[in-house]
Amino acid sequence: MQAAKHEHWSSGFTFLLAAVGSAVGLGNIWRFPYVVAENGGGAFVLIYLAIVVIIGIPLLMSELMIGRSSQKPPLAAMQSFGGSKAQKLWNAVGWSYLLVPMGILTFYSVVAGWTLDYALGMGIGTFNNLEDGASASMFQELLASPVKLIFWMTLSIGITVGIVARGLKSGLEQTVKILMPALFVILVILVLYASITGDFARSFAFMFEPDFSKITPELVLMAAGQAFFSLSLGSGAIMVYGSYLTRDISIPKMAVGVAFADTGVALLAGFAIFPIVFAFGVDHASGPGLVFVTLPIVFNDMGGIGQIFGVLFFMLLAFAAITSTISLLEPMVAQLSEEGRFKRARAAVYCGAVLWTVGVFVALSNNILKDVHPLGFLPLFEGKTIEGVIEFLSANVFMLLNGLLVSIFVGWSVKRSVTLEEMGLGDSMLFKIWFLLVRFVVPLGVGFIFYDVVL
Ligand code: PFF
């Protein structure tokens, strides 16, 4: 059978919609606000912004370059540069760029499922007239129910497979063209409402007035992990999306655009949530429950309008999740259909089946399997559930390792003349700064952070 054709984005703008869609996800709207709240507010935001600029943008450019230059999915891309003494290592990195997103998808699909459950629940009024403590116990009930978790996870995987199976133009592009503008409109409405009715001034101070004494190695580590996850780095999505770019589109501009939009949305999510959380005097540092436990209480206290905002909020989360899950499935499906013997739709269904199977174990590690600690005999994995192990390995260890190795690949292995030409900046100051960051600053910075996570 002939390999599937390699498609291209209709324009630079559709690429941006898709790449921003990948970057903007649960990481921005669910995770960013609670990680900020747990890590001292402004100090965290400051370090986060610095990491996005110094490490995030140079790596986005590197991954886009590998994809665009090779016009191939991640594994084939890493193989195609060829001729290097360390080629075996680069092939392994290519594999890792396929497997990390699959690992992330197993738990991401479960959380995406929660958002679907909440969007529906808000819509039909399940969260109306909440008694004290009811919101927390409803969230616990969801986590304790294998049937619900698996049902919603199946739906989120099904939607993702359905979109990716249709291919780049009729699947991914069509989806982001509808969901991204919708996401943006909903976010703006929520931010406006929160800043008019909530405590905007306190939120602003909370996010932008750093208390420097709070900056610790631990905080830097959290910020780096959050930046990698939020920018979809080290996980194939950006690389494979880059491979659908034509040569006339500027990589540096696209990278800056993605980083800017992603960071903007994370900050806006903070401004949609903190002002109302502060105004209602509920705990802002409630961890992962900030969105799923605290917000329903707030929406409930608002009365009728709260229900509308509740539906909007969880729809926003669900849309953001879907534009990310499709980018997580795409690397493996592209590899199997363009380089392997599978038709795209079939590749998508097979990947979905594998994901679903592993996803069931991940979902169950919230309840029936919560006392199973695979690898628990190793100190690094002590107390981690199946979900914990997969999340730690994919979203912490291998994501960072991939970023580290790719910066070495681009900075030291790929010919300078190739990178010079791909960046389209000429041998300018900007190019030199980028090259310096990729050769030294990114590997050393990520290496240091990595050393801290794993050792
Ligand atoms: N960036 C997404 C988020 O912030 O939710 C998550 C993600 C998507 C990570 C795609 C990695 C990836 F390849």
Side-chain angles (χ1 to χ4, degrees):
M1 194 193 91
Q2 230 190 349
K5 201 168 122 262
H6 193 77
E7 292 184 86
H8 287 102
W9 302 108
S10 309
S11 67
F13 184 68
T14 35
F15 161 78
L16 261 188
L17 282 184
V20 172
S22 168
V24 168
L26 298 168
N28 303 58
I29 304 167
W30 169 56
R31 199 163 187 279
F32 183 80
Y34 84 74
V35 176
V36 169
E38 283 185 332
N39 288 278
F44 180 91
V45 172
L46 183 73
I47 299 291
Y48 179 84
L49 294 178
I51 292 178
V52 167
V53 174
I54 297 169
I55 296 180
I57 294 179
L59 262 182
L60 279 172
M61 288 166 66
S62 305
E63 293 193 356
L64 287 177
M65 188 203 91
I66 295 173
R68 205 220 8 215
S69 163
S70 64
Q71 295 282 309
K72 291 192 162 96
L75 174 59
M78 293 304 288
Q79 289 167 333
S80 75
F81 282 86
S84 148
K85 278 194 236 83
Q87 194 54 44
K88 281 219 175 73
L89 171 68
W90 306 133
N91 294 353
V93 176
W95 272 107
S96 182
Y97 265 83
L98 295 181
L99 294 174
V100 163
M102 291 290 280
I104 294 177
L105 255 183
T106 61
F107 62 86
Y108 207 90
S109 306
V110 175
V111 182
W114 302 352
T115 70
L116 297 173
D117 181 66
Y118 269 65
L120 178 76
M122 279 285 166
I124 60 175
T126 318
F127 296 92
N128 292 353
N129 307 318
L130 287 178
E131 309 265 322
D132 270 359
S135 173
S137 53
M138 286 166 90
F139 185 50
Q140 289 312 324
E141 256 167 50
L142 173 64
L143 296 187
S145 161
V147 175
K148 275 194 188 170
L149 287 183
I150 293 175
F151 171 78
W152 290 114
M153 175 197 80
T154 307
L155 189 63
S156 89
I157 294 179
I159 295 173
T160 308
V161 167
I163 296 170
V164 171
R166 300 172 63 95
L168 187 72
K169 284 222 168 77
S170 5
L172 285 81
E173 271 200 19
Q174 293 305 330
T175 307
V176 297
K177 273 192 200 155
I178 299 168
L179 293 192
M180 292 309 288
L183 184 148
F184 188 71
V185 171
I186 299 178
L187 187 62
V188 169
I189 295 177
L190 291 173
V191 172
L192 285 178
Y193 179 79
S195 38
I196 294 167
T197 60
D199 194 342
F200 184 79
R202 180 159 166 215
S203 308
F204 192 86
F206 180 64
M207 291 216 287
F208 292 120
E209 283 174 14
D211 171 355
F212 291 99
S213 70
K214 295 224 164 101
I215 301 178
T216 57
E218 163 99 296
L219 180 143
V220 177
L221 186 72
M222 289 297 289
Q226 175 64 24
F228 263 71
F229 191 77
S230 191
L231 293 172
S232 302
L233 288 170
S235 38
I238 294 297
M239 202 182 274
V240 80
Y241 277 12
S243 79
Y244 304 128
L245 278 174
T246 47
R247 300 202 55 84
D248 54 325
I249 288 162
S250 158
I251 289 179
K253 277 191 194 145
M254 294 295 130
V256 171
V258 172
F260 193 79
D262 183 63
T263 308
V265 171
L267 295 174
L268 282 179
F271 284 118
I273 294 173
F274 291 130
I276 46 177
V277 167
F278 285 143
F280 279 86
V282 282
D283 181 19
H284 64 284
S286 53
L290 178 61
V291 159
F292 292 102
V293 176
T294 310
L295 281 186
I297 300 176
V298 174
F299 292 135
N300 184 50
D301 285 351
M302 286 177 185
I305 188 135
Q307 189 178 357
I308 298 173
F309 282 105
V311 176
L312 282 179
F313 182 83
F314 287 104
M315 270 171 60
L316 168 75
L317 262 184
F319 290 176
I322 290 166
T323 54
S324 296
T325 55
I326 54 179
S327 76
L328 285 160
L329 187 58
E330 180 62 22
M332 187 61 109
V333 169
Q335 179 76 33
L336 290 177
S337 61
E338 289 182 25
E339 304 290 323
R341 322 176 266 113
F342 299 96
K343 286 220 168 71
R344 178 175 259 273
R346 199 164 273 215
V349 171
Y350 288 160
C351 288
V354 172
L355 276 175
W356 188 86
T357 311
V358 182
V360 166
F361 288 92
V362 169
L364 296 183
S365 56
N366 287 295
N367 38 65
I368 302 175
L369 300 178
K370 74 171 179 303
D371 295 322
V372 176
H373 304 299
L375 307 181
F377 51 91
L378 300 168
L380 202 57
F381 294 94
E382 217 180 286
K384 286 193 165 48
T385 59
I386 299 172
E387 166 164 31
V389 169
I390 295 182
E391 185 176 338
F392 180 68
L393 283 178
S394 55
N396 293 82
V397 178
F398 282 98
M399 208 168 187
L400 290 178
L401 191 61
N402 283 347
L404 172 73
L405 291 170
V406 151
S407 66
I408 296 175
F409 179 70
V410 171
W412 298 90
S413 176
V414 177
K415 283 203 195 72
R416 188 175 185 275
S417 55
V418 174
T419 51
L420 188 68
E421 161 138 15
E422 286 288 333
M423 287 307 150
L425 295 168
D427 206 353
S428 61
M429 199 60 191
L430 271 180
F431 177 79
K432 291 198 174 97
I433 294 176
W434 169 75
F435 204 51
L436 198 81
L437 289 173
V438 166
R439 290 194 104 176
F440 300 104
V441 180
V442 176
L444 287 174
V446 180
F448 172 74
I449 292 162
F450 188 69
Y451 179 83
D452 233 46
V453 179
V454 184
L455 304 163

